[in-house]
Amino acid sequence: MKKTGLLALLLLTGFFAFSQSEAELKAELKTKKDSIGAIQGRANAIQAQIDALPGWKTGAFGTIGVNLSSFSNWYAQGFPNNSAGNIGFTVNAFANLKEEKFFWRNSANVNLQWVKLDDKDDPADSDSFREATDVFNITSLYGWRLSKSFAVSTLGEYRTTILNNFNDPGYLDIGVGGTWTPTDNLVVVIHPLNYNFVFSSEDTIFNSSLGAKIVADYTRQVGAINYKSNLSLFQSYESGDLSNWTWINSFSYTLWKMIGVGFEFGLRNNKQEALNYSVNTLGNTTETFDTVDNELQTYWTLGLSYMF
C-alpha cells in the first residue's frame, strides 16, 4: 500500500512538473515571437527609409508553372493514350528613378503559356504545344513634381501579343496630364489628353482615337508577400466601342529564399477585339459593334514563384 501511494505521488509530481515546464516554455515562446515581431517592425521601418531614398530601384518577380503527363491504355478516360502538358511563366519587372524634383517609372508585364493534348490514337491530332496565354505590356511614366504627391506627367504604354499576331492588334497610348502619388506604393495617372494608336491589318474594326487615359498601379511587399495590381483604362472621346481596359493582379509568397508560390489573374474588356474574333475567327461576317457579345476576358496562372 505504501509503495502504491509513493508511486502515485511520484506520477502526480511528474505531471505537475511537466505542466509547469510546458507553461514556462509556452510563455518563453510567446516572448520570442513578440521579439521577432518587434525586430521585423524595425526592419520594415528601415526598409521604408531605404525605399524613400532618391535614385534607381529595380526588381522583378513572377510565376513559373509546369504540368506534364502521359497516359498509356488508361481506359477509364476518353483518350486512353495521350500526352498532355501545360507550361507557362509570368514576369513583373520594374526600374524606377526617384529624385526630389522628378520621377521616371518603367515597368513590364509578360505572361506566356503553352498547352498541348495529344491523342495518340488520332493520327491527325497535333503533338505540339500551342499558345494559350499571350500578354505583353510595357509602360513608361515621367513626372515633374509640383508638390510631394502631385506631378505633371507624360505616359507611354504599349500592349500586344508576342507569340502570335505580334502587333496585330497592338496598342500604343501616349498622353499628358497629372499623376498623384500619395504613397510610394500607389501611383494614379489621369491624362485627359491621350491618343490611342491601334495597329492592325483589320482596319475596318480597329481604329485609333483621342481620349482619356487612367492608370492605377499599386505595388507592395510585406514580409514574404509580394503584391502588384495594375489597372489601365482608355476612354475614347469618339465612341465607347473604341474604349478598353485591362486589370492585372499578381501575388507571390516566398517560402524559401527567393522561391515560393505565385498567382496571377487578369481581366480585360475590349469591344474591338470581341468583334474581330466574331467576324474573322467565328465567321460571323454580319456581326457589328451593336450586336456583338462583348464578354469579359479573363486568364489566371498558378505555380512556383521567383523574385530577384
Side-chain angles (χ1 to χ4, degrees):
M1 191 69 178
K2 290 183 178 179
K3 291 182 178 180
T4 303
L6 181 60
L7 179 60
L9 180 61
L10 290 174
L11 290 174
L12 190 62
T13 303
F15 173 77
F16 281 115
F18 172 78
S19 299
Q20 184 181 9
S21 177
E22 182 181 20
E24 291 173 351
L25 289 173
K26 286 183 177 181
E28 185 178 355
L29 178 60
K30 184 178 183 301
T31 303
K32 297 297 184 184
K33 286 184 176 181
D34 291 342
S35 299
I36 292 173
I39 293 172
Q40 185 62 55
R42 292 194 295 271
N44 292 339
I46 295 173
Q47 184 62 52
Q49 294 177 15
I50 294 173
D51 294 338
L53 292 175
W56 282 99
K57 300 291 189 301
T58 61
F61 73 96
T63 302
I64 300 174
V66 178
N67 185 3
L68 303 174
S69 64
S70 179
F71 291 87
S72 179
N73 301 322
W74 199 265
Y75 298 117
Q77 61 186 16
F79 303 103
N81 301 289
N82 74 75
S83 62
N86 186 308
I87 301 173
F89 69 91
T90 69
V91 177
N92 290 282
F94 67 89
N96 299 331
L97 175 62
K98 181 179 180 180
E99 297 292 346
E100 182 180 356
K101 293 295 185 180
F102 68 92
F103 59 81
W104 185 22
R105 303 176 65 93
N106 304 277
S107 64
N109 172 261
V110 181
N111 187 318
L112 305 177
Q113 192 172 101
W114 297 262
V115 298
K116 81 167 182 176
L117 174 58
D118 175 26
D119 182 1
K120 298 178 181 178
D121 296 325
D122 183 0
D125 197 24
S126 174
D127 63 351
S128 301
F129 282 88
R130 61 177 181 174
E131 300 87 356
T133 305
D134 193 354
V135 177
F136 180 78
N137 186 5
I138 56 175
T139 301
S140 184
L141 172 68
Y142 178 86
W144 184 265
R145 298 185 186 279
L146 301 180
S147 67
K148 182 179 179 180
S149 60
F150 187 79
V152 292
S153 56
T154 180
L155 171 74
E157 181 184 78
Y158 178 67
R159 306 183 309 282
T160 186
T161 55
I162 57 178
L163 298 178
N164 192 20
N165 299 326
F166 175 72
N167 204 41
D168 190 14
Y171 306 90
L172 175 62
D173 281 291
I174 297 178
V176 294
T179 295
W180 180 49
T181 53
T183 70
D184 290 334
N185 301 316
L186 177 63
V187 178
V188 179
V189 179
I190 302 176
H191 285 179
L193 185 60
N194 181 92
Y195 200 81
N196 178 235
F197 295 92
V198 184
F199 310 101
S200 175
S201 58
E202 182 55 83
D203 55 7
T204 60
I205 296 176
F206 292 96
N207 291 282
S208 304
S209 64
L210 182 69
K213 183 74 174 182
I214 298 175
V215 176
D217 186 276
Y218 183 80
T219 305
R220 186 72 185 272
Q221 179 179 356
V222 180
I225 299 174
N226 282 280
Y227 171 63
K228 179 178 176 64
S229 180
N230 181 273
L231 172 66
S232 177
L233 181 150
F234 171 73
Q235 179 62 51
S236 174
Y237 294 147
E238 181 178 333
S239 170
D241 295 334
L242 306 181
S243 302
N244 62 79
W245 59 266
T246 302
W247 185 27
I248 297 176
N249 296 271
S250 303
F251 306 84
S252 72
Y253 182 80
T254 304
L255 298 174
W256 178 73
K257 293 186 176 180
M258 298 297 181
I259 306 299
V261 178
F263 176 70
E264 177 172 299
F265 73 90
L267 307 174
R268 175 182 287 173
N269 185 285
N270 190 312
K271 204 168 187 179
Q272 294 178 95
E273 292 178 351
L275 181 58
N276 181 63
Y277 178 76
S278 180
V279 172
N280 294 308
T281 302
L282 300 182
N284 301 323
T285 56
T286 60
E287 195 84 83
T288 67
F289 278 115
D290 294 329
T291 62
V292 68
D293 187 8
N294 183 26
E295 295 184 351
L296 182 66
Q297 304 175 44
T298 67
Y299 77 82
W300 62 270
T301 301
L302 175 67
L304 292 177
S305 68
Y306 62 90
M307 180 180 67
F308 57 87

